[in-house]
Every structure is written in C-alpha cells, then in structure tokens.
mmCIF file of all heavy atoms in Angstrom:
data_model
loop_
_atom_site.group_PDB
_atom_site.id
_atom_site.type_symbol
_atom_site.label_atom_id
_atom_site.label_comp_id
_atom_site.label_asym_id
_atom_site.label_seq_id
_atom_site.Cartn_x
_atom_site.Cartn_y
_atom_site.Cartn_z
ATOM 1 N N LEU A 2 0.860 -1.172 -0.005
ATOM 2 C CA LEU A 2 0.017 -0.006 -0.008
ATOM 3 C C LEU A 2 0.890 1.232 0.005
ATOM 4 O O LEU A 2 1.722 1.453 0.901
ATOM 5 C CB LEU A 2 -0.905 0.022 1.228
ATOM 6 C CG LEU A 2 -1.900 1.183 1.308
ATOM 7 C CD1 LEU A 2 -3.002 0.994 0.271
ATOM 8 C CD2 LEU A 2 -2.524 1.275 2.704
ATOM 9 N N PRO A 3 0.773 2.084 -1.002
ATOM 10 C CA PRO A 3 1.666 3.251 -1.087
ATOM 11 C C PRO A 3 1.326 4.323 -0.056
ATOM 12 O O PRO A 3 0.161 4.688 0.103
ATOM 13 C CB PRO A 3 1.461 3.784 -2.517
ATOM 14 C CG PRO A 3 0.076 3.340 -2.882
ATOM 15 C CD PRO A 3 -0.151 2.023 -2.170
ATOM 16 N N LEU A 4 2.335 4.831 0.645
ATOM 17 C CA LEU A 4 2.123 5.923 1.562
ATOM 18 C C LEU A 4 2.220 7.250 0.806
ATOM 19 O O LEU A 4 3.099 7.409 -0.047
ATOM 20 C CB LEU A 4 3.159 5.913 2.685
ATOM 21 C CG LEU A 4 3.081 4.684 3.643
ATOM 22 C CD1 LEU A 4 4.204 4.797 4.698
ATOM 23 C CD2 LEU A 4 1.738 4.625 4.318
ATOM 24 N N PRO A 5 1.321 8.181 1.053
ATOM 25 C CA PRO A 5 1.311 9.439 0.284
ATOM 26 C C PRO A 5 2.595 10.215 0.504
ATOM 27 O O PRO A 5 3.152 10.263 1.613
ATOM 28 C CB PRO A 5 0.092 10.175 0.848
ATOM 29 C CG PRO A 5 -0.712 9.152 1.556
ATOM 30 C CD PRO A 5 0.215 8.125 2.028
ATOM 31 N N THR A 6 3.043 10.891 -0.559
ATOM 32 C CA THR A 6 4.147 11.822 -0.468
ATOM 33 C C THR A 6 3.658 13.257 -0.563
ATOM 34 O O THR A 6 4.443 14.193 -0.342
ATOM 35 C CB THR A 6 5.172 11.553 -1.569
ATOM 36 O OG1 THR A 6 4.508 11.635 -2.855
ATOM 37 C CG2 THR A 6 5.787 10.190 -1.412
ATOM 38 N N ASP A 7 2.389 13.427 -0.885
ATOM 39 C CA ASP A 7 1.798 14.765 -1.018
ATOM 40 C C ASP A 7 1.201 15.179 0.320
ATOM 41 O O ASP A 7 0.445 14.434 0.940
ATOM 42 C CB ASP A 7 0.701 14.725 -2.083
ATOM 43 C CG ASP A 7 0.006 16.039 -2.284
ATOM 44 O OD1 ASP A 7 0.552 17.055 -1.773
ATOM 45 O OD2 ASP A 7 -1.044 16.092 -2.933
ATOM 46 N N ALA A 8 1.557 16.368 0.791
ATOM 47 C CA ALA A 8 1.053 16.859 2.069
ATOM 48 C C ALA A 8 -0.459 17.005 2.083
ATOM 49 O O ALA A 8 -1.128 16.827 3.126
ATOM 50 C CB ALA A 8 1.717 18.199 2.416
ATOM 51 N N GLY A 9 -1.031 17.332 0.916
ATOM 52 C CA GLY A 9 -2.469 17.499 0.837
ATOM 53 C C GLY A 9 -3.232 16.227 1.172
ATOM 54 O O GLY A 9 -4.309 16.266 1.779
ATOM 55 N N ARG A 10 -2.667 15.081 0.767
ATOM 56 C CA ARG A 10 -3.319 13.809 1.099
ATOM 57 C C ARG A 10 -3.262 13.529 2.607
ATOM 58 O O ARG A 10 -4.219 12.960 3.181
ATOM 59 C CB ARG A 10 -2.659 12.665 0.311
ATOM 60 C CG ARG A 10 -2.982 12.674 -1.156
ATOM 61 C CD ARG A 10 -2.314 11.535 -1.896
ATOM 62 N NE ARG A 10 -2.640 11.537 -3.302
ATOM 63 C CZ ARG A 10 -3.527 10.730 -3.903
ATOM 64 N NH1 ARG A 10 -4.173 9.854 -3.171
ATOM 65 N NH2 ARG A 10 -3.747 10.790 -5.190
ATOM 66 N N TRP A 11 -2.179 13.899 3.260
ATOM 67 C CA TRP A 11 -2.118 13.706 4.702
ATOM 68 C C TRP A 11 -3.050 14.640 5.432
ATOM 69 O O TRP A 11 -3.598 14.299 6.502
ATOM 70 C CB TRP A 11 -0.695 13.930 5.192
ATOM 71 C CG TRP A 11 0.214 12.774 4.872
ATOM 72 C CD1 TRP A 11 1.309 12.757 4.047
ATOM 73 C CD2 TRP A 11 0.137 11.445 5.414
ATOM 74 N NE1 TRP A 11 1.882 11.523 3.999
ATOM 75 C CE2 TRP A 11 1.181 10.691 4.833
ATOM 76 C CE3 TRP A 11 -0.745 10.812 6.276
ATOM 77 C CZ2 TRP A 11 1.384 9.331 5.121
ATOM 78 C CZ3 TRP A 11 -0.560 9.457 6.564
ATOM 79 C CH2 TRP A 11 0.491 8.745 5.970
ATOM 80 N N VAL A 12 -3.308 15.835 4.860
ATOM 81 C CA VAL A 12 -4.334 16.708 5.434
ATOM 82 C C VAL A 12 -5.694 16.075 5.333
ATOM 83 O O VAL A 12 -6.506 16.093 6.297
ATOM 84 C CB VAL A 12 -4.287 18.087 4.739
ATOM 85 C CG1 VAL A 12 -5.517 18.927 5.160
ATOM 86 C CG2 VAL A 12 -3.014 18.830 5.024
ATOM 87 N N THR A 13 -5.990 15.448 4.192
ATOM 88 C CA THR A 13 -7.233 14.730 4.028
ATOM 89 C C THR A 13 -7.339 13.605 5.029
ATOM 90 O O THR A 13 -8.388 13.366 5.647
ATOM 91 C CB THR A 13 -7.357 14.190 2.593
ATOM 92 O OG1 THR A 13 -7.298 15.275 1.651
ATOM 93 C CG2 THR A 13 -8.659 13.417 2.390
ATOM 94 N N PHE A 14 -6.238 12.862 5.188
ATOM 95 C CA PHE A 14 -6.213 11.772 6.167
ATOM 96 C C PHE A 14 -6.549 12.302 7.571
ATOM 97 O O PHE A 14 -7.309 11.679 8.312
ATOM 98 C CB PHE A 14 -4.833 11.116 6.189
ATOM 99 C CG PHE A 14 -4.671 10.073 7.259
ATOM 100 C CD1 PHE A 14 -5.039 8.761 7.022
ATOM 101 C CD2 PHE A 14 -4.150 10.403 8.495
ATOM 102 C CE1 PHE A 14 -4.898 7.796 8.006
ATOM 103 C CE2 PHE A 14 -4.001 9.462 9.494
ATOM 104 C CZ PHE A 14 -4.379 8.130 9.242
ATOM 105 N N ALA A 15 -5.980 13.463 7.932
ATOM 106 C CA ALA A 15 -6.175 14.034 9.252
ATOM 107 C C ALA A 15 -7.639 14.370 9.541
ATOM 108 O O ALA A 15 -8.189 14.022 10.580
ATOM 109 C CB ALA A 15 -5.287 15.254 9.479
ATOM 110 N N TRP A 16 -8.294 15.080 8.583
ATOM 111 C CA TRP A 16 -9.677 15.461 8.849
ATOM 112 C C TRP A 16 -10.652 14.281 8.757
ATOM 113 O O TRP A 16 -11.655 14.237 9.482
ATOM 114 C CB TRP A 16 -10.124 16.663 8.021
ATOM 115 C CG TRP A 16 -10.218 16.538 6.551
ATOM 116 C CD1 TRP A 16 -9.331 17.028 5.638
ATOM 117 C CD2 TRP A 16 -11.276 15.941 5.794
ATOM 118 N NE1 TRP A 16 -9.761 16.761 4.352
ATOM 119 C CE2 TRP A 16 -10.958 16.120 4.427
ATOM 120 C CE3 TRP A 16 -12.470 15.318 6.118
ATOM 121 C CZ2 TRP A 16 -11.784 15.639 3.393
ATOM 122 C CZ3 TRP A 16 -13.292 14.848 5.095
ATOM 123 C CH2 TRP A 16 -12.956 15.011 3.762
ATOM 124 N N VAL A 17 -10.378 13.315 7.872
ATOM 125 C CA VAL A 17 -11.209 12.119 7.820
ATOM 126 C C VAL A 17 -11.062 11.346 9.148
ATOM 127 O O VAL A 17 -12.057 10.864 9.727
ATOM 128 C CB VAL A 17 -10.853 11.243 6.622
ATOM 129 C CG1 VAL A 17 -11.616 9.911 6.694
ATOM 130 C CG2 VAL A 17 -11.227 11.951 5.346
ATOM 131 N N PHE A 18 -9.833 11.224 9.624
ATOM 132 C CA PHE A 18 -9.551 10.506 10.890
ATOM 133 C C PHE A 18 -10.273 11.184 12.061
ATOM 134 O O PHE A 18 -10.973 10.540 12.844
ATOM 135 C CB PHE A 18 -8.060 10.450 11.124
ATOM 136 C CG PHE A 18 -7.672 9.842 12.449
ATOM 137 C CD1 PHE A 18 -7.568 8.453 12.572
ATOM 138 C CD2 PHE A 18 -7.408 10.638 13.544
ATOM 139 C CE1 PHE A 18 -7.221 7.890 13.778
ATOM 140 C CE2 PHE A 18 -7.030 10.076 14.754
ATOM 141 C CZ PHE A 18 -6.963 8.713 14.881
ATOM 142 N N LEU A 19 -10.125 12.532 12.191
ATOM 143 C CA LEU A 19 -10.697 13.211 13.318
ATOM 144 C C LEU A 19 -12.229 13.207 13.272
ATOM 145 O O LEU A 19 -12.878 12.966 14.325
ATOM 146 C CB LEU A 19 -10.190 14.672 13.349
ATOM 147 C CG LEU A 19 -8.703 14.812 13.730
ATOM 148 C CD1 LEU A 19 -8.274 16.293 13.612
ATOM 149 C CD2 LEU A 19 -8.444 14.291 15.132
ATOM 150 N N LEU A 20 -12.815 13.450 12.130
ATOM 151 C CA LEU A 20 -14.252 13.401 12.016
ATOM 152 C C LEU A 20 -14.779 11.982 12.227
ATOM 153 O O LEU A 20 -15.815 11.788 12.879
ATOM 154 C CB LEU A 20 -14.720 13.922 10.641
ATOM 155 C CG LEU A 20 -14.634 15.423 10.411
ATOM 156 C CD1 LEU A 20 -15.018 15.764 8.953
ATOM 157 C CD2 LEU A 20 -15.524 16.180 11.390
ATOM 158 N N GLY A 21 -14.050 10.985 11.715
ATOM 159 C CA GLY A 21 -14.463 9.608 11.914
ATOM 160 C C GLY A 21 -14.415 9.206 13.374
ATOM 161 O O GLY A 21 -15.335 8.559 13.888
ATOM 162 N N VAL A 22 -13.319 9.517 14.041
ATOM 163 C CA VAL A 22 -13.168 9.180 15.455
ATOM 164 C C VAL A 22 -14.229 9.900 16.283
ATOM 165 O O VAL A 22 -14.867 9.298 17.187
ATOM 166 C CB VAL A 22 -11.765 9.542 15.979
ATOM 167 C CG1 VAL A 22 -11.686 9.487 17.490
ATOM 168 C CG2 VAL A 22 -10.723 8.616 15.374
ATOM 169 N N THR A 23 -14.462 11.158 16.017
ATOM 170 C CA THR A 23 -15.474 11.928 16.774
ATOM 171 C C THR A 23 -16.872 11.348 16.573
ATOM 172 O O THR A 23 -17.606 11.086 17.543
ATOM 173 C CB THR A 23 -15.437 13.399 16.313
ATOM 174 O OG1 THR A 23 -14.134 13.936 16.530
ATOM 175 C CG2 THR A 23 -16.464 14.204 17.130
ATOM 176 N N GLY A 24 -17.255 11.111 15.311
ATOM 177 C CA GLY A 24 -18.582 10.597 15.027
ATOM 178 C C GLY A 24 -18.803 9.220 15.629
ATOM 179 O O GLY A 24 -19.827 8.951 16.277
ATOM 180 N N CYS A 25 -17.837 8.309 15.449
ATOM 181 C CA CYS A 25 -17.984 6.933 15.968
ATOM 182 C C CYS A 25 -17.996 6.927 17.470
ATOM 183 O O CYS A 25 -18.730 6.137 18.116
ATOM 184 C CB CYS A 25 -16.860 6.061 15.438
ATOM 185 S SG CYS A 25 -16.967 5.681 13.672
ATOM 186 N N SER A 26 -17.195 7.808 18.122
ATOM 187 C CA SER A 26 -17.171 7.862 19.576
ATOM 188 C C SER A 26 -18.501 8.354 20.133
ATOM 189 O O SER A 26 -19.017 7.812 21.117
ATOM 190 C CB SER A 26 -16.054 8.781 20.051
ATOM 191 O OG SER A 26 -14.787 8.285 19.643
ATOM 192 N N LEU A 27 -19.061 9.384 19.526
ATOM 193 C CA LEU A 27 -20.347 9.905 19.983
ATOM 194 C C LEU A 27 -21.444 8.886 19.763
ATOM 195 O O LEU A 27 -22.325 8.689 20.640
ATOM 196 C CB LEU A 27 -20.687 11.205 19.223
ATOM 197 C CG LEU A 27 -19.814 12.432 19.604
ATOM 198 C CD1 LEU A 27 -20.049 13.550 18.645
ATOM 199 C CD2 LEU A 27 -20.108 12.866 21.056
ATOM 200 N N LEU A 28 -21.424 8.196 18.631
ATOM 201 C CA LEU A 28 -22.412 7.168 18.386
ATOM 202 C C LEU A 28 -22.251 5.990 19.339
ATOM 203 O O LEU A 28 -23.273 5.396 19.818
ATOM 204 C CB LEU A 28 -22.347 6.695 16.936
ATOM 205 C CG LEU A 28 -22.776 7.712 15.894
ATOM 206 C CD1 LEU A 28 -22.500 7.194 14.487
ATOM 207 C CD2 LEU A 28 -24.280 8.007 16.044
ATOM 208 N N GLY A 29 -21.017 5.633 19.640
ATOM 209 C CA GLY A 29 -20.763 4.556 20.595
ATOM 210 C C GLY A 29 -21.262 4.931 21.998
ATOM 211 O O GLY A 29 -21.841 4.077 22.709
ATOM 212 N N THR A 30 -21.064 6.192 22.395
ATOM 213 C CA THR A 30 -21.546 6.644 23.702
ATOM 214 C C THR A 30 -23.075 6.602 23.748
ATOM 215 O O THR A 30 -23.661 6.159 24.725
ATOM 216 C CB THR A 30 -21.066 8.082 23.956
ATOM 217 O OG1 THR A 30 -19.636 8.123 23.901
ATOM 218 C CG2 THR A 30 -21.519 8.553 25.320
ATOM 219 N N ALA A 31 -23.719 7.022 22.679
ATOM 220 C CA ALA A 31 -25.182 6.967 22.608
ATOM 221 C C ALA A 31 -25.676 5.536 22.622
ATOM 222 O O ALA A 31 -26.673 5.189 23.257
ATOM 223 C CB ALA A 31 -25.685 7.734 21.399
ATOM 224 N N MET A 32 -24.955 4.662 21.889
ATOM 225 C CA MET A 32 -25.370 3.259 21.785
ATOM 226 C C MET A 32 -25.271 2.567 23.135
ATOM 227 O O MET A 32 -25.976 1.555 23.361
ATOM 228 C CB MET A 32 -24.477 2.558 20.740
ATOM 229 C CG MET A 32 -24.895 1.147 20.418
ATOM 230 S SD MET A 32 -26.455 1.146 19.457
ATOM 231 C CE MET A 32 -26.625 -0.624 19.108
ATOM 232 N N SER A 33 -24.422 3.040 24.028
ATOM 233 C CA SER A 33 -24.253 2.396 25.338
ATOM 234 C C SER A 33 -25.513 2.438 26.182
ATOM 235 O O SER A 33 -25.636 1.683 27.144
ATOM 236 C CB SER A 33 -23.086 3.065 26.089
ATOM 237 O OG SER A 33 -23.468 4.384 26.510
ATOM 238 N N SER A 34 -26.469 3.286 25.830
ATOM 239 C CA SER A 34 -27.704 3.348 26.571
ATOM 240 C C SER A 34 -28.705 2.299 26.153
ATOM 241 O O SER A 34 -29.760 2.131 26.815
ATOM 242 C CB SER A 34 -28.349 4.742 26.431
ATOM 243 O OG SER A 34 -27.512 5.750 26.942
ATOM 244 N N VAL A 35 -28.438 1.559 25.077
ATOM 245 C CA VAL A 35 -29.368 0.566 24.568
ATOM 246 C C VAL A 35 -29.281 -0.740 25.346
ATOM 247 O O VAL A 35 -30.300 -1.246 25.816
ATOM 248 C CB VAL A 35 -29.170 0.340 23.070
ATOM 249 C CG1 VAL A 35 -30.101 -0.759 22.543
ATOM 250 C CG2 VAL A 35 -29.411 1.634 22.314
ATOM 251 N N PRO A 36 -28.088 -1.359 25.505
ATOM 252 C CA PRO A 36 -28.037 -2.652 26.206
ATOM 253 C C PRO A 36 -28.326 -2.467 27.699
ATOM 254 O O PRO A 36 -27.955 -1.488 28.321
ATOM 255 C CB PRO A 36 -26.577 -3.102 26.020
ATOM 256 C CG PRO A 36 -26.030 -2.227 24.923
ATOM 257 C CD PRO A 36 -26.750 -0.959 25.009
ATOM 258 N N ARG A 37 -28.967 -3.476 28.299
ATOM 259 C CA ARG A 37 -29.245 -3.461 29.729
ATOM 260 C C ARG A 37 -28.125 -4.051 30.547
ATOM 261 O O ARG A 37 -28.054 -3.873 31.737
ATOM 262 C CB ARG A 37 -30.560 -4.224 30.015
ATOM 263 C CG ARG A 37 -31.800 -3.537 29.486
ATOM 264 C CD ARG A 37 -33.023 -4.365 29.816
ATOM 265 N NE ARG A 37 -34.248 -3.720 29.325
ATOM 266 C CZ ARG A 37 -34.963 -2.868 30.051
ATOM 267 N NH1 ARG A 37 -34.608 -2.597 31.284
ATOM 268 N NH2 ARG A 37 -36.060 -2.318 29.532
ATOM 269 N N SER A 38 -27.204 -4.808 29.873
ATOM 270 C CA SER A 38 -26.104 -5.434 30.610
ATOM 271 C C SER A 38 -24.931 -5.609 29.651
ATOM 272 O O SER A 38 -25.056 -5.437 28.434
ATOM 273 C CB SER A 38 -26.536 -6.802 31.163
ATOM 274 O OG SER A 38 -26.834 -7.699 30.079
ATOM 275 N N VAL A 39 -23.788 -5.947 30.246
ATOM 276 C CA VAL A 39 -22.582 -6.169 29.419
ATOM 277 C C VAL A 39 -22.774 -7.389 28.544
ATOM 278 O O VAL A 39 -22.327 -7.406 27.394
ATOM 279 C CB VAL A 39 -21.365 -6.347 30.342
ATOM 280 C CG1 VAL A 39 -20.116 -6.624 29.518
ATOM 281 C CG2 VAL A 39 -21.139 -5.102 31.183
#
C-alpha cells in the first residue's frame, strides 16, 4: 500500500480521521444506553 508523499493527502487523512473518530465515539456513547447489561 503506497504511503502518500503529497502533504495534501495527509491533510485529508487528518480530517477524515478526526471526524471519523469523533462521530464513531459519539455514536458509541449513545449506543451504550441501549443494552441493559454487558
């Protein structure tokens, strides 16, 4: 898998990563209210 040499691609990686982590974390926190037990 080629690693990008263009800084613009790493900027894209950064905002996709941050938005993805934020969205999935918030959804996971909300989802924790659904199960009654571990």
Side-chain angles (χ1 to χ4, degrees):
L2 183 70
L4 294 179
T6 57
D7 180 13
R10 288 180 179 257
W11 285 114
V12 170
T13 301
F14 175 87
W16 63 257
V17 172
F18 176 84
L19 290 175
L20 287 176
V22 168
T23 302
C25 290
S26 298
L27 290 169
L28 291 173
T30 302
M32 188 70 176
S33 70
S34 298
V35 177
R37 292 179 179 269
S38 66
V39 178

